[in-house]
């Protein structure tokens, strides 16, 4: 599982003109799933995201109550080392990925986090205003 975590002043996801998820002053998490990920991987990712000390004063969303916007991003497992057309073979198929993305979201909520989401398999318009900018790659 991979996540790109960014500190944002605001972020939102729009699908077909409808805002489906939006936050202010929190974390935008682009989340990719691969074939070997499990429910345990999802729990570990949720813990790392929630406790990641990336906010002001080296504080975490767990410390501050900052909201989290989770957006599924299979392209994090794209491989463009050969040629110009990326390969997506390392990305888990939707039937595997969707329940694991949901598991990360539910694990975050179980930890007390306020979580918004994108819409799985939809063409999403993702907007963000980054703070810092501070961006980290978590690779489990």
């Amino acid at each position: 599982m991979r996540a790109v975590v960014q500190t944002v002043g605001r972020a939102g996801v729009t699908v077909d003109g409808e805002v489906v998820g939006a936050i202010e002053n929190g974390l935008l998490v682009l989340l990719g799933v691969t074939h070997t990920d499990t429910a345990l991987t999802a729990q570990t990712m949720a813990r790392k995201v929630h406790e990641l000390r990336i906010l002001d004063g080296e504080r975490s969303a767990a410390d501050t109550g900052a909201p989290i916007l989770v957006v599924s991003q299979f392209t994090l497992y794209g491989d463009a080392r050969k040629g110009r057309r990326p390969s997506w073979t390392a990305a888990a198929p939707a039937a595997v990925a969707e329940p694991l993305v949901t598991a990360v979201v539910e694990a975050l909520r179980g930890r007390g986090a306020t979580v918004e989401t994108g819409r799985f398999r939809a063409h999403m318009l993702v907007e963000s205003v980054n703070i810092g900018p501070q961006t980290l790659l978590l690779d489990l």
Side-chain angles (χ1 to χ4, degrees):
M1 194 169 283
R2 286 184 181 152
V4 172
V5 182
Q6 299 177 313
T7 56
V8 295
R10 67 179 180 274
V13 178
T14 303
V15 176
D16 296 328
E18 172 194 358
V19 175
V20 297
I23 63 165
E24 291 186 5
N25 299 313
L27 299 176
L28 171 60
V29 178
L30 305 176
L31 184 64
V33 178
T34 192
H35 303 280
T36 57
D37 290 334
T38 64
L40 180 59
T41 312
Q43 290 287 327
T44 301
M45 182 60 79
R47 179 184 53 77
K48 288 188 86 68
V49 166
H50 198 227
E51 296 178 1
L52 185 63
R53 296 183 172 277
I54 191 174
L55 298 170
D56 287 344
E58 294 186 13
R59 294 173 48 186
S60 67
D63 296 332
T64 65
I68 302 168
L69 174 59
V70 177
V71 179
S72 175
Q73 188 78 43
F74 80 92
T75 60
L76 290 178
Y77 278 101
D79 183 353
R81 289 178 289 183
K82 293 182 181 178
R84 296 173 289 151
R85 182 178 300 146
S87 166
W88 310 112
T89 58
V96 172
E98 187 172 12
L100 290 172
V101 170
T102 300
V104 170
V105 169
E106 292 305 316
L108 284 165
R109 289 179 176 147
R111 297 175 60 81
T114 299
V115 183
E116 295 282 324
T117 65
R119 185 172 295 158
F120 201 86
R121 296 183 103 177
H123 183 76
M124 296 178 277
L125 173 62
V126 180
E127 297 178 284
S128 67
V129 175
N130 296 33
I131 296 175
Q134 294 185 70
T135 303
L136 288 176
L137 173 64
L138 299 179
D139 200 359
L140 302 182

